[in-house]
Amino acid sequence: MNKETESFSVTMFLLRRQTQNKQGNDSSIQDAKVAELNAALGPLSGHSLKYCSDACLRRYLEARNWNVDKAKKMLEESLKWRSTYKPEEIRWPEVAHEGETGKVSRANFHDRLGRTVLIMRPGMQNTASAENNIKHLVYLLENAILNLSEGQEQMSWLIDFTGFSLSSNVQVKTARDIIHILQNHYPERLAIAFLYNPPRIFQAFYKAVKYFLDPKTAQKVKFVYPNNKDSVELMKSLFDIDNLPIEFGGKATLNYDHEEFSRLMTEDDVKTAKFWGHDEKPFHTTKNGHAGAEVAPEPVPVEPLVG
């Protein structure tokens, strides 16, 4: 081995060692930040203790660039929100009517990285209640997290704009509220969101909505057009086109069956209850996809005699 080759080998060895040491140091620093945040939160119990896993703390730290104080404030606000909104206690019977058209549903496939996929079709909007629309989406966010593959923390969104119109779809205020919930209470849960072939009228809506997106979230939003080679290649890199519905440039058929989806969600409600340690009453699913608790009927009140 000549001196030049030997010198190059030594240099490469030192660079590899530096990279390995840096990765190790970064990992050690992050572990220390997680421990620091855990200590700063103080004693937790019940759902808060269950929620605040090390993985959860890492997501909040990541969302706040590993600033412990900012992550602590963010997490405490989430715990307060979860204690009042109780997203883990929402059950399919409460939101089934919102899902009748399949405007938001969990796909029956994962992306190439094994992440849960949510399919959104704003053109299938079927109700006018902003509160119920948000509750339905929160339920499906919780459900998507429940169905993440082992080792995965994030989900992918596919948004189909077929039938979209500004007059009949989500208003800016509702979109703002959804963004607030996603960014502040589900940090680092969204991996990527594909907006497939959005019409021109959506541009003005997105400009208004983008104002509420933080830069990290905005970078995850990808506009995909079927005649744009780069965006199509990006889709293919993350999805198997045999699984991907035709509406997103794939080969599969997207047939939303509300009754079948309701059956799956009712089964998942049992898993959710088990995860959070709830004592659930069994549910039965009706033909229209709604479900009801199997409880004893209330006694019929007796009218008092007058006279």
Side-chain angles (χ1 to χ4, degrees):
M1 182 184 294
N2 60 40
K3 287 186 177 181
E4 287 186 5
T5 303
E6 185 177 359
S7 177
F8 177 76
S9 298
V10 171
T11 301
M12 292 303 295
F13 173 77
L14 291 173
L15 285 173
R16 283 197 296 270
R17 284 292 299 272
Q18 287 175 0
T19 301
Q20 291 168 355
N21 288 338
K22 184 177 185 301
Q23 290 173 341
N25 290 337
D26 285 348
S27 178
S28 298
I29 291 171
Q30 290 178 2
D31 289 345
K33 294 274 189 180
V34 170
E36 185 181 347
L37 176 55
N38 195 21
L41 288 170
L44 298 171
S45 61
H47 288 179
S48 294
L49 179 61
K50 184 77 171 176
Y51 182 73
C52 292
S53 63
D54 283 356
C56 172
L57 268 53
R58 285 179 181 276
R59 288 193 302 274
Y60 280 83
L61 284 163
E62 178 71 28
R64 289 297 178 261
N65 296 313
W66 294 89
N67 182 304
V68 174
D69 290 338
K70 290 181 179 180
K72 176 177 179 284
K73 182 180 178 182
M74 183 186 191
L75 182 48
E76 286 176 338
E77 288 174 353
S78 285
L79 292 177
K80 184 178 179 182
W81 174 77
R82 293 185 72 90
S83 71
T84 55
Y85 199 88
K86 301 184 185 301
E88 75 282 357
E89 293 184 17
I90 303 171
R91 297 293 179 261
W92 182 247
E94 302 170 56
V95 296
H97 64 286
E98 290 288 338
E100 286 177 352
T101 59
K103 63 187 176 188
V104 185
S105 62
R106 195 186 83 231
N108 61 359
F109 59 90
H110 290 75
D111 67 13
R112 291 189 188 275
L113 297 177
R115 297 181 296 218
T116 304
V117 178
L118 282 185
I119 294 177
M120 302 181 180
R121 299 188 287 174
M124 305 296 285
Q125 183 59 256
N126 62 323
T127 64
S129 169
E131 181 182 349
N132 288 338
N133 268 285
I134 292 172
K135 190 174 185 179
H136 177 236
L137 178 59
V138 167
Y139 171 87
L140 285 166
L141 288 174
E142 293 281 322
N143 182 266
I145 293 166
L146 180 74
N147 284 282
L148 284 170
S149 301
E150 187 176 352
Q152 282 294 345
E153 293 284 317
Q154 297 182 311
M155 68 189 82
S156 297
W157 289 5
L158 291 174
I159 306 175
D160 169 32
F161 283 89
T162 303
F164 177 87
S165 66
L166 290 178
S167 61
S168 62
N169 288 282
V170 176
Q171 301 302 308
V172 171
K173 182 184 181 302
T174 305
R176 181 193 65 191
D177 292 343
I178 290 170
I179 289 169
H180 175 82
I181 289 172
L182 178 68
Q183 291 184 160
N184 292 282
H185 304 315
Y186 294 91
E188 297 303 314
R189 284 301 195 184
L190 177 65
I192 194 164
F194 287 108
L195 281 60
Y196 196 82
N197 204 26
R200 286 187 178 182
I201 58 171
F202 178 75
Q203 298 296 332
F205 179 82
Y206 184 71
K207 283 182 180 179
V209 167
K210 191 177 179 182
Y211 176 80
F212 305 108
L213 291 173
D214 66 44
K216 287 182 73 173
T217 304
Q219 288 179 357
K220 297 176 181 180
V221 177
K222 307 295 181 184
F223 283 73
V224 177
Y225 297 94
N227 58 352
N228 182 291
K229 183 180 178 182
D230 290 341
S231 59
V232 170
E233 287 302 315
L234 179 60
M235 287 282 286
K236 289 181 179 178
S237 70
L238 285 175
F239 295 96
D240 183 341
I241 60 171
D242 289 331
N243 292 332
L244 199 63
I246 295 170
E247 288 81 355
F248 300 100
K251 297 180 179 180
T253 302
L254 179 58
N255 286 327
Y256 176 76
D257 183 327
H258 186 57
E259 189 172 340
E260 174 62 17
F261 192 74
S262 293
R263 185 185 65 78
L264 293 174
M265 293 302 99
T266 304
E267 289 177 358
D268 278 357
D269 282 352
V270 176
K271 290 194 291 183
T272 298
K274 184 177 180 181
F275 178 83
W276 291 104
H278 292 161
D279 181 19
E280 289 290 289
K281 295 182 177 69
F283 284 93
H284 66 274
T285 305
T286 60
K287 282 191 174 182
N288 63 4
H290 298 266
E294 293 179 347
V295 296
E298 292 289 329
V300 178
V302 179
E303 291 292 333
L305 295 174
V306 179

